[in-house]
Amino acid sequence: MKNKLLILFISFAPFLVTIPLFAQKNMPLIVDVDKPVAVIQPTMWGIFFEDINFAADGGIYAELVKNRSFEFARPLMGWKILKPDTTNGVLIINRSETNPANPRFARITIVPGEASFGLSNAGFRGMGIKKGMTYHFSVQARQLEGSTLKMHIELVNNQGKMIGATVLVPDSKNWKKYSESFVADATEPKARMNVWFEGNGSVDIDMVSLFPDDTWKNRPEGLRSDLVQLLADLKPGFLRFPGGCIVEGRDLANRYQWKNTVGKIEDRHLIVNRWNTEFAHRQTPDYFQSFGMGFFEYFQLAEDIGAEPLPILNCGMACEFNTAEVVTLDQLDPYIQDALDLIEFANGPAESSWGKIRTQLGHSAPFNMKYIGVGNEQWGPQYIERYEAFAKAIKERYPDIKIITGTGPSPSGKDFDFAAKELKKLNANIVDEHYYANPEWFFQNATRYDNYDRKSYKIFAGEYAAQSKFTCSPDNQGNWKCALSEAAFMTGLERNADVVYMCSYAPLFAHADAWQWKPDLIWFDNLKSFGTANYYVQKLFSNNKGTTVLPMLMENKPLTGQNGLYASAAFDKNSNEIILKLVNSDEKSQTANIVLVSKKRLGSKARMFVLKSEDLNNVNSMDQPTLISPVESEVVLKGKSIIQVLAPNSFSVIRIKVLQ
Ligand code: AHR
């Protein structure tokens, strides 16, 4: 008898497994189209930008010369001396007394009759050069009395073959910027730039620079257009900059100071990048911040891509994972003044002190900045007291500016609870929470905000990314499992848009040969770039944002993981469409029976975008950049219902027109 029961069980076991799914299939998922429950902020999905992984220097900032002003800790890092065995030579001269922001320059001396002499720049892990593209070389130079040195500039490929060249003769005894443009005749991802010197005497050089012509919006010496395009395609609600821990710096001396990043390029005081030697397993000692991508450029970028600018400022605290230095409270004023001056720089009239500087930089109209962040990932009472001082000063002068504050690196635990309690007491506006956790955490936390206090502060989900191994592991992958778990989590963020006002994945960019942190949203090398599976999840949410949240319930409950299903719904008043987002994290397909309850007429067809992969470990790559990317199809409605098979491990977005 026992055996018979066992045989019976074994033969019916597969059906037992599918019964709940079958039941699910017939269970209607009801969307109450005419009863929106919350407003979705235009800022809901945005971008977190930090100069980590060569995101700015060597990345979006299109400068190809590394250490152009000889200010790295080792002045000739990135440069190689060509033909050193002569009396010809290079001398590094320091004029810090008269030029503290840009103290060093190089003096090249040539003796006629000696073998030729030159300097060769390696670029940022090579220079990406494109056939037929125009390149703009520039240098600040002065000839010494009686000198007549000529500069031969040449691009060479990986084998040393010349692929482009020009000649330049500085003609003044005073510092002057010289420029020459030329066209490259071959494509090379790892080119070098050689500068040969010919003639008699000495020439001083500084700010040796090379930019491609095809920058974003063709701005001279601007940004890499393919990388900006990937950002613009996200249609982000905000751009947070410049980080991240980079705001804090390893110590206070190396904190990010926005005033040092605006104005003439040669006056932007270079400092070390705090990710330079952060990880023993991924050292990048040649990582510095030239600030070619400075605060004006960040504001301009935000404007270009239609995002609200969201600067984060140092609050008198260096990175608490590093030195944890803090400035004393009685010396906090200059830090607070930086915040007040930034607001004037962004929003002040063209005649105001800082508005004037913005105008001189070419932007007389205010940037209309609405948010400012005080501190990045700080914790402890030392943060709260510094935040309070900032908040008091900012609110007194600029009551309409919304202040972003934070709860530290972890989304739970003692420090998190302490910060959350204190910030509630202080009536904080918007609080930044960070989540770096495994995919299971993201699936489970689709309900995180369902029971958050509706009377307290709003949430900025400011940094999140599922970690396939563990946080900071060099083996992390932005694989489909991670991306799918983020999509499930994001349905919870959207469902709770009355509390969650802003969200951004982090980090944003990574150079394939120079990264420190994995996973990242967008990867690039010197010529190419691609969005990860995670990027396409972000893009689908952001491009299909909607303006209000609609209830979407099965048996009166939101889908938060029942049978591996997660869902949220929105209405977009701009396009008059219902937007459904459905995640099936089960390894089997499931049929969704969606009923749209509305007095209005609906279109008979809908557009559907599906992101999926057969293997949860799959990733996009340079060779297969769109392996996991959305596929569009059409869905036919049955009256006001949609019966739709959701593929295994898939994320789907469905857009249905409301006709009137
Ligand atoms: O996103 C990478 C880092 O993670 C950020 O700089 C920091 O805020 C967090 O610890």
Side-chain angles (χ1 to χ4, degrees):
M1 182 60 188
K2 227 177 171 186
N3 276 353
K4 269 191 184 167
L5 274 178
L6 188 67
I7 291 168
L8 212 63
F9 176 78
I10 291 170
S11 20
F12 279 95
F15 298 102
L16 292 177
V17 173
T18 54
I19 281 170
L21 300 180
F22 183 72
Q24 195 74 45
K25 182 174 143 190
N26 292 323
M27 208 74 83
L29 192 47
I30 298 172
V31 183
D32 222 332
V33 178
D34 301 339
K35 293 195 181 137
V37 288
V39 169
I40 298 173
Q41 300 298 317
T43 51
M44 184 73 185
W45 310 111
I47 292 174
F48 162 98
F49 191 111
E50 175 167 24
D51 191 5
I52 181 172
N53 303 317
F54 280 36
D57 285 302
I60 200 167
Y61 180 49
E63 171 65 270
L64 294 170
V65 177
K66 185 169 73 183
N67 192 12
R68 62 186 172 192
S69 61
F70 311 101
E71 304 296 344
F72 282 19
R74 284 194 282 121
L76 284 178
M77 188 177 231
W79 295 93
K80 200 165 89 183
I81 296 176
L82 302 170
K83 306 269 168 72
D85 299 332
T86 67
T87 43
N88 297 334
V90 53
L91 185 68
I92 299 298
I93 301 181
N94 191 315
R95 58 186 157 178
S96 58
E97 286 298 312
T98 53
N99 197 341
N102 178 19
R104 296 197 192 123
F105 61 89
R107 174 162 296 169
I108 313 294
T109 300
I110 299 293
V111 179
E114 295 265 359
S116 43
F117 177 87
L119 291 176
S120 175
N121 192 274
F124 298 88
R125 307 296 194 272
M127 296 178 182
I129 300 297
K130 296 177 205 156
K131 182 176 179 179
M133 177 61 57
T134 300
Y135 288 87
H136 305 291
F137 173 84
S138 69
V139 62
Q140 300 209 349
R142 64 175 178 195
Q143 296 272 12
L144 265 64
E145 193 66 50
S147 302
T148 50
L149 286 195
K150 202 178 199 178
M151 297 167 72
H152 296 266
I153 296 100
E154 55 181 43
L155 289 174
V156 293
N157 70 10
N158 214 9
Q159 284 78 48
K161 183 174 173 282
M162 200 200 297
I163 56 171
T166 189
V167 175
L168 192 148
V169 188
D171 61 7
S172 172
K173 284 190 292 184
N174 300 316
W175 282 108
K176 191 171 144 187
K177 181 172 175 179
Y178 299 87
S179 310
E180 282 295 339
S181 301
F182 60 100
V183 177
D185 54 30
T187 294
E188 169 61 50
K190 300 243 177 221
R192 297 184 67 94
M193 184 182 76
N194 297 337
V195 184
W196 296 96
F197 299 87
E198 184 201 344
N200 184 7
S202 298
V203 66
D204 292 338
I205 58 168
D206 198 5
M207 303 302 293
V208 188
S209 169
L210 186 73
F211 275 89
D213 191 57
D214 63 340
T215 50
W216 173 251
K217 286 187 179 278
N218 297 112
R219 289 199 185 107
E221 304 181 358
L223 306 183
R224 201 172 130 170
S225 45
D226 60 329
L227 297 185
V228 181
Q229 192 59 56
L230 280 161
L231 301 186
D233 291 347
L234 288 171
K235 302 195 181 134
F238 64 89
L239 174 72
R240 165 182 168 167
F241 57 89
C245 293
I246 204 143
V247 170
E248 306 159 24
R250 199 177 289 159
D251 51 23
L252 283 172
N254 287 301
R255 71 189 189 274
Y256 197 103
Q257 299 190 61
W258 75 267
K259 287 175 182 165
N260 292 345
T261 76
V262 295
K264 282 203 215 141
I265 207 85
E266 60 270 29
D267 293 340
R268 303 187 190 181
H269 194 167
L270 177 140
I271 59 170
V272 71
N273 186 304
R274 59 92 64 218
W275 296 106
N276 178 304
T277 49
E278 178 73 15
F279 297 122
H281 57 263
R282 287 296 296 181
Q283 302 242 328
T284 41
D286 57 338
Y287 200 6
F288 288 77
Q289 301 180 80
S290 74
F291 299 119
M293 178 81 189
F295 256 45
F296 180 76
E297 287 77 19
Y298 280 118
F299 276 108
Q300 199 173 41
L301 174 62
E303 185 174 75
D304 286 352
I305 60 178
E308 293 291 345
L310 167 47
I312 308 282
L313 296 191
N314 186 294
C315 64
M317 301 176 72
C319 181
E320 290 178 81
F321 290 112
N322 294 160
T323 60
E325 261 186 351
V326 297
V327 74
T328 57
L329 287 175
D330 62 351
Q331 289 178 28
L332 192 59
D333 279 358
Y335 293 75
I336 295 176
Q337 194 57 48
D338 276 357
L340 299 175
D341 290 343
L342 179 65
I343 300 171
E344 188 175 287
F345 175 74
N347 295 350
E351 319 66 64
S352 61
S353 310
W354 282 99
K356 213 180 284 163
I357 295 174
R358 183 191 68 236
T359 305
Q360 281 159 11
L361 295 173
H363 205 288
S364 57
F367 283 113
N368 195 19
M369 174 180 108
K370 302 182 184 74
Y371 308 92
I372 194 166
V374 174
N376 170 49
E377 216 174 47
Q378 266 66 56
W379 63 85
Q382 62 276 27
Y383 174 53
I384 300 298
E385 48 192 16
R386 281 162 185 76
Y387 159 72
E388 267 190 278
F390 269 81
K392 185 169 176 294
I394 294 172
K395 287 290 172 191
E396 252 168 40
R397 189 124 163 240
Y398 299 105
D400 293 336
I401 292 281
K402 297 266 178 288
I403 302 179
I404 311 285
T405 176
T407 44
S410 174
S412 56
K414 190 168 66 58
D415 291 329
F416 174 88
D417 292 343
F418 171 77
K421 190 172 93 223
E422 294 301 314
L423 293 172
K424 263 184 201 169
K425 277 198 257 164
L426 293 169
N427 286 325
N429 294 144
I430 303 180
V431 173
D432 181 12
E433 296 186 353
H434 294 179
Y435 342 85
Y436 295 99
N438 59 31
E440 289 67 34
W441 185 96
F442 281 87
F443 283 122
Q444 280 155 17
N445 276 270
T447 54
R448 179 177 173 91
Y449 294 106
D450 290 359
N451 300 313
Y452 249 57
D453 186 351
R454 263 47 199 176
K455 295 201 190 78
S456 183
Y457 52 65
K458 304 300 176 194
I459 295 296
F460 173 23
E463 292 185 30
Y464 60 89
Q467 313 286 301
S468 64
K469 295 274 181 201
F470 53 87
T471 311
C472 296
S473 165
D475 299 324
N476 280 331
Q477 297 288 334
N479 63 27
W480 179 232
K481 183 176 179 185
C482 289
L484 194 63
S485 73
E486 287 151 11
F489 177 65
M490 290 166 77
T491 61
L493 299 178
E494 183 175 272
R495 215 162 15 78
N496 287 286
D498 57 327
V499 174
V500 182
Y501 273 28
M502 300 173 141
C503 316
S504 45
Y505 182 100
L508 179 65
F509 280 128
H511 189 302
D513 299 326
W515 56 270
Q516 297 84 42
W517 181 298
K518 273 182 173 180
D520 306 285
L521 201 61
I522 296 169
W523 283 80
F524 61 91
D525 61 18
N526 291 337
L527 290 175
K528 301 187 295 294
S529 49
F530 70 89
T532 55
N534 319 69
Y535 171 86
Y536 287 108
V537 166
Q538 294 296 318
K539 187 171 170 188
L540 278 178
F541 269 89
S542 190
N543 287 195
N544 296 285
K545 184 167 49 193
T547 45
T548 45
V549 179
L550 299 177
M552 186 184 202
L553 305 172
M554 184 181 277
E555 295 185 303
N556 278 325
K557 289 194 201 103
L559 272 185
T560 57
Q562 300 92 313
N563 290 327
L565 293 170
Y566 302 79
S568 59
F571 178 72
D572 181 18
K573 68 174 183 208
N574 303 314
S575 64
N576 246 343
E577 283 174 296
I578 303 158
I579 306 173
L580 310 177
K581 303 191 179 77
L582 296 131
V583 172
N584 176 16
S585 69
D586 199 90
E587 59 194 21
K588 296 195 182 62
S589 59
Q590 304 199 60
T591 304
N593 175 5
I594 304 162
V595 178
L596 303 162
V597 179
S598 175
K599 292 204 184 85
K600 297 176 187 144
R601 283 194 308 123
L602 305 182
S604 56
K605 288 177 184 160
R607 283 186 299 148
M608 180 162 169
F609 306 86
V610 179
L611 200 53
K612 63 177 181 177
S613 175
E614 273 161 25
D615 188 338
L616 285 170
N617 292 315
N618 273 350
V619 292
N620 288 347
S621 63
M622 289 292 176
D623 295 333
Q624 291 185 292
T626 51
L627 179 69
I628 307 168
S629 55
V631 174
E632 188 175 348
S633 60
E634 200 175 74
V635 171
V636 178
L637 275 79
K638 287 193 179 141
K640 289 184 179 172
S641 296
I642 296 173
I643 312 277
Q644 182 59 48
V645 175
L646 303 175
N649 291 318
S650 65
F651 168 42
S652 308
V653 176
I654 304 175
R655 295 187 73 116
I656 309 121
K657 268 269 176 227
V658 174
L659 298 178
Q660 53 156 281

